[in-house]
Amino acid sequence: MNIAAPFKPHGKHFVAGEKRATEAQFSSAPAHGPAHSFSVGTVELVEAACTAAEEAFWSYGYSSREDRAVFLETIADEIEARADAITEIGSQETGLPEARLQGERGRTVGQLRLFASHIRAGDYLDRRHDAALPDRAPLPRPDLRLMQRPVGPVAVFGASNFPLAFSVAGGDTASALAAGCPVVVKGHSSHPGTSEIVAEAVAAAVATCGLHPGVFSLIQGGRRDVGTALVQHPLINAVGFTGSLAGGKALFDLCAARPRPIPFFGELGSVNPMFLMPAATASRGAEIGAGWAASLTMGAGQFCTNPGIAVVLEGADGERFAEAAREALSATGEQVMLTDGIAQAYREGSDRVAAGTGVQALLTSTCNLRNAAPYLFRTTGRDWLANDALAEEVFGPLGLIVTVADTDEMLSLARSLVGQLTATIHMDAEDTDAVRALMPILERKAGRVLANGYPTGVEVCDSMVHGGPYPASTNFGATSVGTLSIRRWLRPVCYQNMPEAVLPEDLV
């Protein structure tokens, strides 16, 4: 089956297998192409979706790993069957190039199939067994077995900057479904049509696999009360979120304030600093500058791993790096941002950086409407340390070069950082000793530390960590990308002296 474009949304929610409309409507705001009307989410829809998810858990949460793997693969097939239609409406709503959306769709279905393979292998269950020692003195030991079990229904908030890979059927949803947890998705209002067509793919897979329809629901739009009702619903057991620090912190506080608090797994972004070591800067500073500019402007800088800060020693080598970055950024034209609101926030963030004491503008731009052009600024390590606002993320293609007097000041700057998703070191062999001093600091600050590369481009695999200490994420022990992300939706259960006849099948 191949569902061809164009796709015209029906504008309804998906609640436990039913398409539900509400009286209030909102309109999409596409970068190009027609706008469409969508039903506004309500607290009543949240209640219906969460209740259905709990009902579904009694069968889906105890289904076989093979059945869940087939379900994930069927979702992937249904998404691919809608490939052209997804690309068309996704491009209209977000302004992202078709090639970017095609690649993101490939990542999305790849995640689903990766988790199918992951749960088939069973290693994620972390099964442990301590056999009984009835004759042990002074006390016998009982028979003890441990296995990870799904937590129950979870809520997922779609992200603005990844309409496929971090949205309706993205990594949060894929990992939760793999774990055995029904999912209620709060769609992002910046791409409701894309959310709808992907939800149709998930709903089709639910029907094909004969699952309880409450295993998946999508609620679109709605005021703040809808998100509040979702994270505070007593049947929701955990929340996945990718978005702004302010929005994530508000939801985190709501989860903590519940009569029964639940974990909130928020990925909130960071400035992803790069540290240029002396030998590397001397030998290839211009090359690093050009590479940084390309990473900085990829996707109009709308990546949570966008490397917004570069730390370099002052001097001629650092100047060559800065000039190469400036030249490369100057040659970059305007790009369409995801929403008008994101474009406005980018302009405000640029103004905030420019107003900082000791900040020098190396490249300024005029950004109109929904478009963004690069900005490049420079400051000193001393001024950086004196102004916390310079360490705040600007979501877009803005770079800030921080020059330091020596590697000792570089270490001081690294220690001043708050939690980051990534930290990058550019080094040559001669920089090894200096890097050894820097590494312990960066390990404490970031979830992923990389050498001689750029952090944009997050590989979906077993060993990836996409998270970090707060405020990069709200749970430093978790990742939102890679197979380890399934652990967010599981909890360990110990079975003591339990007869095999009643143990979970995976423990026997």
Side-chain angles (χ1 to χ4, degrees):
M1 178 182 64
N2 186 19
I3 299 173
F7 166 74
K8 183 175 181 180
H10 52 66
K12 299 178 181 179
H13 312 277
F14 287 83
V15 178
E18 296 182 0
K19 296 175 183 176
R20 302 269 295 266
T22 52
E23 184 175 347
Q25 302 281 300
F26 73 96
S27 179
S28 61
H32 59 86
H36 301 283
S37 293
F38 296 86
S39 292
V40 174
T42 64
V43 172
E44 290 74 23
L45 287 174
V46 170
E47 174 65 31
C50 293
T51 300
E54 175 68 12
E55 293 171 355
F57 181 68
W58 294 111
S59 57
Y60 187 72
Y62 300 88
S63 60
S64 70
R65 289 181 281 126
E66 179 60 27
D67 285 347
R68 297 200 302 277
V70 169
F71 175 42
L72 294 170
E73 291 168 339
T74 305
I75 296 174
D77 292 342
E78 292 288 351
I79 289 174
E80 288 188 326
R82 295 161 172 79
D84 292 342
I86 289 172
T87 298
E88 181 185 63
I89 194 164
S91 178
Q92 289 175 354
E93 289 186 323
T94 66
L96 294 172
E98 289 187 359
R100 153 70 192 273
L101 285 166
Q102 290 163 355
E104 191 180 331
R105 188 185 69 249
R107 171 177 169 170
T108 304
V109 299
Q111 287 176 152
L112 289 159
R113 292 180 174 133
L114 175 64
F115 276 109
S117 299
H118 186 62
I119 60 175
R120 280 193 177 106
D123 294 344
Y124 78 99
L125 295 169
D126 194 18
R127 289 170 285 201
R128 306 180 185 201
H129 183 202
D130 290 294
L133 298 174
D135 300 324
R136 188 182 69 175
L139 294 173
R141 183 176 75 188
D143 184 86
L144 298 168
R145 300 172 190 247
L146 177 148
M147 187 176 74
Q148 301 288 337
R149 299 296 293 150
V151 299
V154 305
V156 169
F157 285 75
S160 64
N161 59 333
F162 279 86
L164 300 174
F166 277 87
S167 192
V168 173
D172 287 348
T173 297
S175 56
L177 293 175
C181 298
V183 175
V184 179
V185 177
K186 173 67 170 62
H188 199 284
S189 58
S190 66
H191 48 254
T194 311
S195 296
E196 181 182 304
I197 192 171
V198 174
E200 283 195 347
V202 179
V206 171
T208 297
C209 295
L211 302 176
H212 188 296
V215 75
F216 170 81
S217 293
L218 167 69
I219 298 172
Q220 301 263 46
R223 297 183 300 276
R224 185 171 297 179
D225 61 336
V226 175
T228 298
L230 182 56
V231 301
Q232 292 198 313
H233 196 283
L235 297 176
I236 292 296
N237 292 270
V239 178
F241 173 87
T242 299
S244 69
L245 175 59
K249 181 63 165 58
L251 294 174
F252 175 83
D253 290 344
L254 289 172
C255 288
R258 289 173 38 141
R260 179 176 64 87
I262 59 173
F264 177 82
F265 298 102
E267 190 269 277
L268 309 180
S270 63
V271 296
N272 304 295
M274 295 194 329
F275 293 85
L276 281 70
M277 308 312 292
T281 310
S283 64
R284 49 193 173 89
E287 177 186 338
I288 297 171
W292 180 46
S295 180
L296 193 65
T297 56
M298 183 184 295
Q302 298 169 118
F303 288 88
C304 43
T305 53
N306 178 27
I309 306 295
V311 184
V312 60
L313 268 64
E314 61 187 16
D317 297 334
E319 289 298 320
R320 280 190 289 272
F321 160 78
E323 179 57 23
R326 191 196 66 77
E327 289 183 1
L329 291 172
S330 299
T332 302
E334 290 187 347
Q335 300 178 72
V336 178
M337 300 201 85
L338 291 159
T339 69
D340 292 330
I342 289 174
Q344 178 61 29
Y346 174 61
R347 290 190 286 269
E348 292 172 355
S350 302
D351 292 342
R352 170 175 53 78
V353 173
T357 301
V359 173
Q360 173 192 3
L362 300 183
L363 176 65
T364 59
S365 308
T366 301
C367 302
N368 297 310
L369 303 175
R370 198 160 160 171
N371 296 325
Y375 287 87
L376 182 62
F377 298 98
R378 177 164 56 190
T379 191
T380 65
R382 178 182 300 177
D383 287 323
W384 163 278
L385 292 171
N387 186 357
D388 291 341
L390 296 179
E392 296 176 10
E393 180 184 25
V394 178
F395 195 62
L398 181 147
L400 175 62
I401 298 172
V402 183
T403 59
V404 293
D406 50 35
T407 54
D408 286 341
E409 189 175 11
M410 184 178 285
L411 294 176
S412 296
L413 189 147
R415 291 189 188 97
S416 76
L417 292 167
V418 296
Q420 305 290 325
L421 292 171
T422 74
T424 300
I425 302 169
H426 289 276
M427 61 174 291
D428 284 353
E430 298 88 337
D431 295 313
T432 299
D433 288 342
V435 171
R436 284 194 180 120
L438 183 61
M439 278 291 290
I441 303 172
L442 298 188
E443 286 176 354
R444 295 188 66 185
K445 299 294 183 178
R448 177 164 56 111
V449 183
L450 57 155
N452 297 328
Y454 303 94
T456 42
V458 180
E459 186 70 25
V460 181
C461 60
D462 291 328
S463 52
M464 177 52 63
V465 173
H466 189 60
Y470 186 85
S473 58
T474 56
N475 189 311
F476 61 79
T479 174
S480 61
V481 177
T483 55
L484 186 63
S485 65
I486 197 174
R487 287 293 188 92
R488 297 174 296 169
W489 324 117
L490 298 166
R491 64 181 183 86
V493 177
C494 177
Y495 303 86
Q496 182 169 328
N497 288 335
M498 195 64 61
E500 286 193 359
V502 294
L503 279 172
E505 183 179 342
D506 284 322
L507 262 180
V508 177

